[in-house]
């Protein structure tokens, strides 16, 4: 095996990622080395690359890619060698495993995590031929799944699932849910909401995204929030739940304004929007808003199980690793339907 590998590296804040040779990582004691079989490209990667110094707690340089499927090829000391050869996906938010949040299975809200979040977010990620994972605790077996389908489950589907989960029990056949943005995350959310009894309305300015949402179970699609607002004729037409996968001020405020009394907005998107919170803003009484982050390992297992059962579909466009920067440019231009997934292919000898 060569000592170096091709990887997509963010060298400094506010710069474009670059493709270059880096050393092949070694598995740490207690960790594993994966050969990456597929890595999804998240819109967050663009927010991360664009961030000014100090906005995020971790520091470049690091290899991007936080949606990773791979095969275990080496294990560190004290790791069961039975892992070798197993296809897995990576739960990418690497908590301490011991604090009270981690003990509750909420590692995505670890209290002791430190500045680096996980693979591709401070630690080296999966837009490369190989990736080290510090513990098999972060792996979920993915036997029987196409890696291209499996990779986007680790963030796009997991985050959508975690965002919806607290609200699922409140939804019945009279409930109305609005999904704002049917891209990488949103196209999974549409399917998860469509699996409930609720009516699913989707808004996305891109015709291809609306078309995809309609095929995945959206009852109604609109190009803009204004169109949604114009379609509401009675109080009962308003929304019990909005999942905002954009997170710009106009989508966040626009979503709150479309709520039914007692409704809730989940802000998932990280476009930098801000809201003013107060009691006398003229918003529908009982409004609430939350901003969940990624998701716990149990929820990743749940979305892997749904995909295996054929109940969750990943719409993907694949790219070879040398074409990863083209894929980022396409993502930035809004020219990807579903998720862009990089397939590194067989490593060089
Ligand atoms: P994406 O680019 O794949 O999809 C975004 C979609 O939103 C596109 O279809 C786009 O056409 C649509 N859109 C853009 N402006 C819109 C508007 N004004 N109204 C309605 N739709 C609009 O992005 P993605 O990878 O799905 O990520 C979505 C957001 O979620 C990003 O901001 C990303 O950083 C964030 N994110 C958050 C978490 C979290 O844990 N909270 C995790 C992953 C991603
Ligand atoms: Zn992401
Ligand atoms: Zn912890």
């Amino acid at each position: 095996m060569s000592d170096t590998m091709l990887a997509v590296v963010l060298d400094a804040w506010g710069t474009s990622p670059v493709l270059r040779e880096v050393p092949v990582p070694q598995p740490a004691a207690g960790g594993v080395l994966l050969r990456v079989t597929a890595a999804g490209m998240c819109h967050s990667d663009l927010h991360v690359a664009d961030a000014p110094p100090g906005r995020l707690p971790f520091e470049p340089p690091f290899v991007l890619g936080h949606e990773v499927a791979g095969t275990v090829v080496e294990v560190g000391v004290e790791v069961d060698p039975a892992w070798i050869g197993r296809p897995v996906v990576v739960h990418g938010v690497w908590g301490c495993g011991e604090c009270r949040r981690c003990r509750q299975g909420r590692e995505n809200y670890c209290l002791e995590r430190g500045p680096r979040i996980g693979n591709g977010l401070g630690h080296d990620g999966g837009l490369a031929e190989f990736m080290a994972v510090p513990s098999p605790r972060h792996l979920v077996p993915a036997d029987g799944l196409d890696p291209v389908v499996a990779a986007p489950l680790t963030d796009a589907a997991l985050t959508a699932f975690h965002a919806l989960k607290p609200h699922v029990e409140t939804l019945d056949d009279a409930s109305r849910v609005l999904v704002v943005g049917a891209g990488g995350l949103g196209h999974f959310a549409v399917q998860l909401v469509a699996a409930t009894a609720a009516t699913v309305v989707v808004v996305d300015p891109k015709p291809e995204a609306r078309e995809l949402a309609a095929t995945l179970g959206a009852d109604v699609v609109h190009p803009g929030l204004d169109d949604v607002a114009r379609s509401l004729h009675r109080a009962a037409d308003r929304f019990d739940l909005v999942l905002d996968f954009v997170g710009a001020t106009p989508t966040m405020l626009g979503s709150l304004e479309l709520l039914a009394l007692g409704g809730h907005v989940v802000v998932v998107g990280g476009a930098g929007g801000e809201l003013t919170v107060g009691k006398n803003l003229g918003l529908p009484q009982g409004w609430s808003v939350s901003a969940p982050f990624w998701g716990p390992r149990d929820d990743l297992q749940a979305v892997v199980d749904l995909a295996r059962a054929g109940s969750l579909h990943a719409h993907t466009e694949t790219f070879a690793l040398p074409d990863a920067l083209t894929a980022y440019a396409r993502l930035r231009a809004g020219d990807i339907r579903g998720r862009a997934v990089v397939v590194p292919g067989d490593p060089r000898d």
Side-chain angles (χ1 to χ4, degrees):
M1 192 167 94
S2 161
D3 294 342
T4 64
M5 62 176 188
L6 196 58
V8 179
V9 182
L10 183 70
D11 276 317
W13 298 123
T15 64
S16 295
V18 294
L19 255 178
R20 63 177 165 81
E21 291 286 322
V22 301
V24 172
Q26 299 292 310
V32 305
L33 182 70
L34 303 183
R35 178 173 76 77
V36 177
T37 48
M41 304 185 100
C42 183
H43 207 113
S44 298
D45 294 346
L46 305 179
H47 298 319
V48 167
D50 293 345
R55 174 170 299 165
L56 293 163
F58 46 87
E59 288 298 330
F62 55 88
V63 178
L64 286 160
H66 57 267
E67 285 190 343
V68 184
T71 303
V72 179
V73 288
E74 270 182 57
V75 295
V77 292
E78 290 171 19
V79 178
D80 184 352
W83 277 105
I84 293 175
R86 281 205 89 168
V88 295
V89 288
V90 181
H91 179 236
V93 56
W94 296 344
C96 72
E98 287 165 17
C99 73
R100 68 178 191 269
R101 290 277 185 284
C102 286
R103 286 200 314 273
Q104 291 171 323
R106 300 169 70 202
E107 205 164 328
N108 52 320
Y109 301 123
C110 172
L111 304 173
E112 304 288 344
R113 190 171 58 210
R116 296 190 288 176
I117 294 171
N119 52 192
L121 294 166
H123 294 279
D124 285 333
L127 285 169
E129 292 166 273
F130 296 91
M131 185 179 94
V133 180
S135 165
R137 197 162 52 83
H138 307 304
L139 305 178
V140 171
D143 316 65
L145 276 180
D146 177 351
V148 172
V149 169
L153 300 176
T154 61
D155 174 33
L158 167 58
T159 301
F161 185 93
H162 178 61
L164 177 63
K165 192 178 178 184
H167 310 283
V168 163
E169 292 300 315
T170 69
L171 301 176
D172 59 26
D173 62 359
S175 303
R176 291 174 50 78
V177 180
L178 177 65
V179 174
V180 181
L185 274 66
H187 91 285
F188 284 115
V190 170
Q191 299 173 66
L192 294 167
V193 181
T196 72
T199 296
V200 194
V201 179
V202 173
V203 55
D204 198 302
K206 271 178 12 193
E208 305 78 25
R210 294 199 296 278
E211 199 182 299
L212 177 62
T215 65
L216 295 174
D219 296 294
V220 185
V221 296
H222 290 287
L225 284 168
D226 290 353
D227 307 285
V228 181
R230 277 193 290 274
S231 73
L232 307 180
H233 304 298
R234 302 169 301 143
D237 293 340
R238 302 172 73 83
F239 294 95
D240 303 293
L241 179 66
V242 183
L243 302 172
D244 177 1
F245 293 102
V246 177
T249 301
T251 59
M252 290 159 65
L253 192 55
S255 296
L256 280 171
E257 287 169 347
L258 298 177
L259 286 181
L261 299 191
H264 184 85
V265 174
V266 187
V267 180
V268 182
E274 293 182 7
L275 285 175
T276 301
V277 174
K279 287 287 274 183
N280 301 313
L281 300 171
L283 293 171
Q285 285 162 341
W287 65 273
S288 56
V289 62
S290 60
F293 178 64
W294 214 334
R297 190 183 182 285
D298 285 356
D299 288 358
L300 175 56
Q301 182 69 62
V303 294
V304 165
D305 292 344
L306 285 172
R308 257 203 205 105
S311 307
L312 198 56
H313 167 80
H315 189 93
T316 58
E317 185 173 349
T318 56
F319 295 86
L321 186 53
D323 299 329
L325 303 184
T326 309
Y328 272 142
R330 295 256 317 271
L331 181 62
R332 196 182 282 283
D335 188 24
I336 297 289
R337 193 150 82 140
R339 201 49 141 191
V341 177
V342 164
V343 179
D346 291 332
R348 296 152 298 166
D349 292 329

